[in-house]
Amino acid sequence: MASAIIPIAFLIFFSNFEPSSQFSLSVENPNEDVIVSSPKGTFTAGFSPVGQNAYCFGVWYSKPDRTLVWMANRDQPVNGKRSTLSLLKTGNLVLTDAGQSQVWSTNTLSLNPLELHLFDTGNLVLRELNNQSSVLWQSFDFPTDTLLPAQTLTRFTQLVSSRSESNFSSGFYRLFFDNDNVFRLLYEGPRVSSVYWPDPWLVSNNVGSGNGRTTYNSSRVAVLDSFGKFTSSDHFSFETVDYGLLLQRRLTLDHDGNVRVYSRIDGQNKWLISGQFRQQPCFIHGICGPNSICSYDHTSGRICSCLQGYSWIDEQDWSLGCKPSFQPSCDNKTTYQFLPLDEVDFYGYDYGSSFSNFTFKQCENLCLQLCDCMGFQYTFAADNGLFWCYPKTQLLNGHHSPGFSGTIFLRLPKSIENSRFQNNVNGLVCPKNSGAKQLDRSYVKGKENGSVKFMLWFASGLGVFEVLCILMVWFFLFRNSSHLGSGDKQGYVLAAATGFRKFSYSELKQATKGFTQEIGRGAGGIVYKGVLSDNRVAAIKRLHEFANQGESEFLAEVSIIGRLNHMNLIGMWGYCAEGKHRMLVYEYMENGTLAQNLSSNVLDWKKRYDIALGTARCLAYLHEECLEWILHCDIKPQNILLDSDYQPKVADFGLSKPLDRNSLNNSSFSRIRGTRGYMAPEWVFNLQITSKVDVYSYGIVVLEMVTGKSPTAGVQTTESGEVSHNERLATWVREKRRKASSAAGGEASWVEQIVDPTLGPDYDMNQMEILATVALECIEEEKDVRPTMSQVVERLQSHEHDSR
Ligand SMILES: *[C@@H]1O[C@H](CO)[C@@H](O)[C@H](O)[C@H]1NC(C)=O
Ligand SMILES: *[C@@H]1O[C@H](CO)[C@@H](O)[C@H](O)[C@H]1NC(C)=O
Ligand SMILES: *[C@@H]1O[C@H](CO)[C@@H](O)[C@H](O)[C@H]1NC(C)=O
Ligand SMILES: *[C@@H]1O[C@H](CO)[C@@H](O)[C@H](O)[C@H]1NC(C)=O
Ligand SMILES: *[C@@H]1O[C@H](CO)[C@@H](O)[C@H](O)[C@H]1NC(C)=O
């Protein structure tokens, strides 16, 4: 016992006599030992937990959820005991792990007294006390994965992604200025590196050609302004969808390799994505690791799957990719077969260059002769009428793109049975909680064995001191153990969850004045207006269908919805589950629903275009972001709300259900969902339900916005008779377009014929035509012909500024 106790006392004794520090912060008081920014207190600097008994010194948004924006020691978290940040008399700011080793320092030197100051911009600055303009060190010069407004990314700095959603260590992606002055995204995996943004096959040039970047401006600076515009010196620029509003903003290189700008109203709970650099997640390199294929699946969003004949290296972490299930060998005894994979491409790693005018047999032989050929791409190029052969020495950045004309022929030993091919095709799910593993760090019990022995001899030699020592030890041990297991971590979790909370029935009854002010009525329940105790105006939905649903099942669904966040998705503040009462509390939208606004003619063409685009962005987010694959299933103008700027917010998930990605059977969709007039034919004909049902409903809503005609009412027309069910509006529009294209008058006039007459002549013909064309594609009978929501976003986005 004594030998375990004494070193603790010994170390405490010495750390208290640490040489000449001006001040220090201790990891043991994470709530009191912090620096709060001035003057507004937006940011806090201090120790933040990043795992079990693992802390980082960092800067975070004070309220309400502790979003970390900078870390001193992301790759070397410190122990929750006796770690300190100290400003030494020498002028050096040092972070010490468990009272022993120094894990980080600013390497500064000064004889004048210094102070550490946190600005309201989030910049942590070490400066002289008497001369505040002399800055020795600042955190803005050492960004981690986040760039704040007013923080400049320079030739000396870069952003590095986190390893995963919950592991803040340096990950595989970098955003930086390359040697040719171009601003780039780089995947730097364990084995290979490659640039994936801007598209590597487009060359930078003087502006106007290629990817629009210039190599001529060597100042190498990039900055996000507080209005939401990002500019870099190579002429790349980017505006968020909420450009112009003064919001809290941050640009983060996320762990999945995409750069996203997040924004929120000061101190409100949720960060909303207001822009991202890349739209197609499968084009981000390394996203699925080697020997696997990234694909976008209609039902389940983005998935990674191992190639046939390969298996996962780590099922919890698909970024590591797959390994061959066979023994790769280079002898000439093994015989091989080639397995065709249609519409699949792997980026890079071609052997030699490429080989044109090759027959299939020649290509196959070429691959067989190469020891490390893992397969080949065989493509017919229509422009020169030749077949091209690309032997691949590595299978990286694979993706499946429907419509891609090439085929990969995978080289596998004949000994692999065909039956094995079937097993690996289904993908891993997104590693949503794969980072939930905790850092396993035990408390280090003094390694100074020599000093222990010395202390023991010393103590036993002097009886009086021994008694003193043991008393001291008991005192410290008692103090320490009272800290052990105390709920720092728990406090953090609670704080993170406060923005989304549980309301009691009586609280909501009071807020709605006894459920009197009804503002809407849907299939799932009735919506009331209410004022919460903190004076926020809320829309409170009282569900009637869920009376039989258990509380835990309800909570599971609610917590999934609570985790979603997007600019164009209605914010949810909380829920109530008490007895048989089930209620959802949402933010209240002043301008009501799209349905109300359409019938009252306040929407000009510009607003209509923005609403169509915003709604598409929200649905693309729900369908494709790697969060939860969610179908809405009831898109209609009544479920699209408008905020004070007439930006759309999609509401009402009363009918939607997150899809279980592993068992994609449709038993959970046994009931017909949706609303007459907006329902895809799949519901009627009892076909497979995929995200394309939302695409269909979306198409109908856009047609309604363009024409001003409701799909549920009859279309007033003298030419065509009444057509049955919801095909009326669609048929009418298709007919107009068909007639216009066959007539000699040219294309434009069909839009004039269908456009909502209340708009008058004042609209942008081009944008209205895009809207109508996209809408017609969305309502194709055959679901596979309809575009995905992200394709819709890209189409609409590319014409967003046409009229300006
Ligand atoms: C304060 O520091 C700055 C930067 O180091 C220096 O240029 C300036 O002369 C200093 N002012 C005084 C009064 O010492
Ligand atoms: C280079 O880029 C910087 C920052 O965007 C800009 O201020 C400067 O005028 C540019 N220089 C030239 C020569 O275009
Ligand atoms: C097998 O490979 C070796 C060297 O790799 C070569 O010398 C030999 O001729 C090959 N045998 C046949 C039958 O191709
Ligand atoms: C392609 O190869 C064939 C046979 O090897 C040859 O006759 C033909 O001229 C080649 N075509 C081109 C365009 O090189
Ligand atoms: C976080 O990632 C780093 C780097 O890959 C790894 O060494 C560390 O073990 C990870 N931590 C956890 C808790 O998984």
Side-chain angles (χ1 to χ4, degrees):
M1 186 79 190
S3 66
I5 291 162
I6 285 167
I8 300 176
F10 181 78
L11 289 172
I12 287 168
F13 183 77
F14 271 87
S15 65
N16 283 347
F17 283 79
E18 178 136 348
S20 59
S21 71
Q22 300 189 20
F23 82 88
S24 82
L25 303 179
S26 162
V27 72
E28 296 183 38
N29 315 314
N31 296 325
E32 295 94 58
D33 273 12
V34 293
I35 304 170
V36 177
S37 70
S38 64
K40 290 201 286 186
T42 313
F43 292 93
T44 304
F47 285 97
S48 184
V50 293
Q52 200 155 23
N53 194 31
Y55 289 77
C56 273
F57 182 79
V59 174
W60 61 84
Y61 275 98
S62 310
K63 278 187 295 189
D65 59 346
R66 232 181 222 252
T67 310
L68 275 165
V69 297
W70 177 78
M71 275 163 282
N73 56 322
R74 67 190 307 195
D75 291 318
Q76 237 182 316
V78 293
N79 205 292
K81 290 278 154 208
R82 296 188 6 271
S83 298
T84 52
L85 179 85
S86 312
L87 179 55
L88 305 183
K89 287 251 164 69
T90 56
N92 201 5
L93 184 67
V94 299
L95 181 60
T96 313
D97 184 17
Q100 296 172 3
S101 55
Q102 180 180 316
V103 298
W104 176 85
S105 83
T106 55
N107 288 322
T108 43
L109 188 67
S110 170
L111 297 175
N112 302 324
L114 301 180
E115 68 166 349
L116 196 56
H117 185 85
L118 181 58
F119 286 89
D120 247 336
T121 54
N123 195 8
L124 185 68
V125 173
L126 186 64
R127 61 184 187 185
E128 286 182 7
L129 198 55
N130 304 323
N131 178 3
Q132 300 197 330
S133 56
S134 95
V135 171
L136 277 84
W137 173 92
Q138 55 182 348
S139 64
F140 269 16
D141 291 342
F142 301 88
T144 47
D145 63 351
T146 297
L147 195 70
L148 292 170
Q151 180 177 8
T152 311
L153 206 65
T154 68
R155 67 180 67 213
F156 304 113
T157 58
Q158 59 176 357
L159 299 187
V160 177
S161 67
S162 287
R163 187 65 183 77
S164 73
E165 209 174 327
S166 58
N167 182 341
F168 299 117
S169 301
S170 301
F172 297 144
Y173 297 99
R174 288 208 281 139
L175 179 66
F176 71 114
F177 280 102
D178 214 337
N179 290 337
D180 59 357
N181 303 321
V182 175
F183 196 48
R184 293 209 163 94
L185 276 168
L186 171 77
Y187 165 69
E188 198 161 41
R191 294 191 308 145
V192 295
S193 308
S194 53
V195 165
Y196 61 96
W197 179 87
D199 283 328
W201 54 88
L202 298 176
V203 262
S204 309
N205 216 317
N206 203 4
V207 188
S209 56
N211 57 24
R213 309 293 190 85
T214 177
T215 54
Y216 298 155
N217 189 327
S218 50
S219 56
R220 296 193 197 170
V221 287
V223 68
L224 173 71
D225 73 16
S226 48
F227 296 111
K229 181 165 188 171
F230 181 84
T231 42
S232 92
S233 56
D234 69 346
H235 288 194
F236 171 69
S237 80
F238 170 85
E239 261 176 37
T240 58
V241 293
D242 51 9
Y243 177 73
L245 302 175
L246 265 178
L247 300 167
Q248 283 183 347
R249 298 180 187 279
R250 65 187 165 94
L251 177 142
T252 303
L253 172 53
D254 282 326
H255 66 93
D256 63 0
N258 208 345
V259 177
R260 300 192 177 84
V261 181
Y262 294 84
S263 57
R264 68 175 182 190
I265 298 168
D266 284 14
Q268 285 202 0
N269 190 39
K270 278 188 181 162
W271 287 104
L272 304 175
I273 296 168
S274 54
Q276 54 187 5
F277 282 9
R278 288 230 67 141
Q279 297 297 337
Q280 289 152 307
C282 282
F283 283 83
I284 293 174
H285 286 182
I287 200 77
C288 285
N291 306 318
S292 81
I293 302 177
C294 178
S295 57
Y296 169 68
D297 181 278
H298 299 305
T299 356
S300 41
R302 183 181 78 199
I303 52 173
C304 299
S305 25
C306 278
L307 287 171
Q308 283 116 319
Y310 290 76
S311 59
W312 294 109
I313 289 174
D314 178 355
E315 302 216 354
Q316 302 294 317
D317 184 357
W318 42 247
S319 64
L320 297 176
C322 312
K323 58 178 188 303
S325 316
F326 52 90
Q327 191 67 43
S329 66
C330 217
D331 54 37
N332 39 18
K333 291 190 214 81
T334 318
T335 52
Y336 289 94
Q337 56 184 329
F338 287 93
L339 184 77
L341 304 171
D342 290 332
E343 304 184 326
V344 167
D345 190 21
F346 289 87
Y347 174 76
Y349 302 94
D350 299 338
Y351 169 79
S353 51
S354 50
F355 301 85
S356 70
N357 201 13
F358 259 53
T359 63
F360 182 80
K361 200 73 207 158
Q362 281 173 314
C363 195
E364 203 178 78
N365 284 337
L366 178 63
C367 183
L368 283 174
Q369 281 158 21
L370 295 171
C371 183
D372 52 0
C373 177
M374 302 173 75
F376 60 89
Q377 167 87 247
Y378 194 65
T379 313
F380 180 71
D383 51 349
N384 55 16
L386 296 178
F387 283 95
W388 290 73
C389 172
Y390 303 86
K392 297 276 175 188
T393 53
Q394 295 205 51
L395 300 175
L396 297 179
N397 309 316
H399 58 88
H400 175 250
S401 326
F404 176 71
S405 65
T407 300
I408 280 281
F409 293 85
L410 191 63
R411 178 184 178 181
L412 292 170
K414 270 220 171 93
S415 54
I416 290 207
E417 298 154 33
N418 276 318
S419 61
R420 291 227 351 231
F421 291 166
Q422 308 311 322
N423 300 337
N424 263 323
V425 184
N426 60 336
L428 269 185
V429 294
C430 277
K432 190 177 78 224
N433 287 323
S434 73
K437 289 184 282 182
Q438 298 278 308
L439 275 177
D440 184 21
R441 294 171 52 87
S442 52
Y443 177 45
V444 189
K445 292 202 177 102
K447 58 180 184 189
E448 284 93 334
N449 267 333
S451 1
V452 172
K453 280 188 188 127
F454 168 73
M455 275 298 273
L456 277 173
W457 280 112
F458 185 73
S460 56
L462 296 157
V464 181
F465 278 100
E466 186 174 6
V467 172
L468 260 178
C469 272
I470 287 176
L471 277 178
M472 229 172 89
V473 159
W474 276 113
F475 172 71
F476 281 117
L477 191 71
F478 178 72
R479 249 184 45 153
N480 280 343
S481 64
S482 72
H483 280 277
L484 288 176
S486 73
D488 298 339
K489 178 87 180 132
Q490 246 175 352
Y492 167 61
V493 173
L494 277 181
T498 46
F500 178 77
R501 70 179 190 94
K502 181 172 178 162
F503 291 87
S504 71
Y505 177 72
S506 60
E507 206 174 343
L508 293 185
K509 191 172 170 187
Q510 197 182 358
T512 55
K513 303 206 178 79
F515 302 103
T516 46
Q517 214 180 335
E518 183 179 322
I519 51 173
R521 196 175 267 265
I526 303 173
V527 187
Y528 301 92
K529 185 174 175 179
V531 180
L532 303 178
S533 54
D534 56 5
N535 288 328
R536 285 186 297 175
V537 185
I540 294 161
K541 180 165 193 186
R542 195 171 180 182
L543 305 170
H544 43 60
E545 268 193 29
F546 288 74
N548 296 329
Q549 193 186 29
E551 186 166 338
S552 59
E553 198 185 330
F554 174 73
L555 284 186
E557 271 187 40
V558 162
S559 71
I560 289 168
I561 302 170
R563 257 191 282 143
L564 299 171
N565 63 66
H566 189 276
M567 290 291 306
N568 298 113
L569 191 62
I570 194 89
M572 187 151 110
W573 291 338
Y575 65 92
C576 163
E578 212 172 282
K580 62 179 172 50
H581 302 297
R582 301 282 183 268
M583 282 177 259
L584 300 172
V585 181
Y586 296 102
E587 59 184 323
Y588 177 77
M589 287 290 121
E590 290 298 335
N591 276 327
T593 66
L594 174 60
Q596 291 158 352
N597 284 281
L598 271 178
S599 56
S600 68
N601 294 332
V602 291
L603 301 176
D604 60 20
W605 60 271
K606 172 93 181 52
K607 291 196 182 104
R608 291 184 200 209
Y609 197 85
D610 287 350
I611 292 167
L613 180 54
T615 307
R617 280 185 175 130
C618 174
L619 291 174
Y621 168 82
L622 290 178
H623 293 168
E624 291 162 32
E625 281 287 317
C626 190
L627 297 163
E628 295 282 340
W629 318 127
I630 293 184
L631 306 189
H632 188 288
C633 296
D634 197 15
I635 293 295
K636 57 180 174 180
Q638 288 79 5
N639 282 339
I640 298 172
L641 303 181
L642 302 177
D643 72 7
S644 50
D645 284 328
Y646 289 94
Q647 288 299 318
K649 299 251 187 186
V650 175
D652 203 348
F653 289 79
L655 296 176
S656 74
K657 195 178 174 68
L659 285 179
D660 182 342
R661 276 157 280 148
N662 287 329
S663 56
L664 292 175
N665 57 22
N666 290 299
S667 56
S668 55
F669 287 108
S670 47
R671 280 173 313 162
I672 283 201
R673 290 143 187 268
T675 303
R676 249 182 91 84
Y678 301 91
M679 268 191 309
E682 291 97 291
W683 293 114
V684 182
F685 299 114
N686 208 11
L687 300 173
Q688 198 196 13
I689 298 307
T690 66
S691 61
K692 294 298 179 70
V693 300
D694 286 347
V695 176
Y696 184 93
S697 308
Y698 172 81
I700 297 281
V701 171
V702 173
L703 271 195
E704 187 172 350
M705 280 197 286
V706 172
T707 61
K709 294 177 177 27
S710 161
T712 50
V715 171
Q716 284 106 44
T717 165
T718 50
E719 293 157 51
S720 69
E722 284 284 283
V723 188
S724 67
H725 79 281
N726 57 2
E727 277 294 279
R728 279 180 297 215
L729 178 59
T731 314
W732 179 71
V733 175
R734 280 200 194 103
E735 196 61 12
K736 290 285 185 199
R737 183 170 64 169
R738 195 183 58 76
K739 284 202 180 126
S741 62
S742 57
E747 278 272 328
S749 62
W750 72 280
V751 180
E752 278 167 23
Q753 289 176 38
I754 59 159
V755 148
D756 188 349
T758 64
L759 284 175
D762 183 24
Y763 60 87
D764 184 84
M765 173 73 86
N766 206 359
Q767 286 191 326
M768 281 311 187
E769 187 174 343
I770 291 296
L771 277 187
T773 310
V774 168
L776 285 179
E777 286 169 25
C778 290
I779 57 173
E780 287 286 346
E781 292 288 305
E782 179 52 51
K783 68 175 167 46
D784 293 336
V785 184
R786 297 175 209 151
T788 63
M789 281 324 296
S790 61
Q791 287 165 340
V792 171
V793 171
E794 269 172 33
R795 293 266 299 278
L796 296 188
Q797 225 159 241
S798 63
H799 294 273
E800 196 182 355
H801 300 294
D802 273 7
S803 60
R804 294 187 195 163

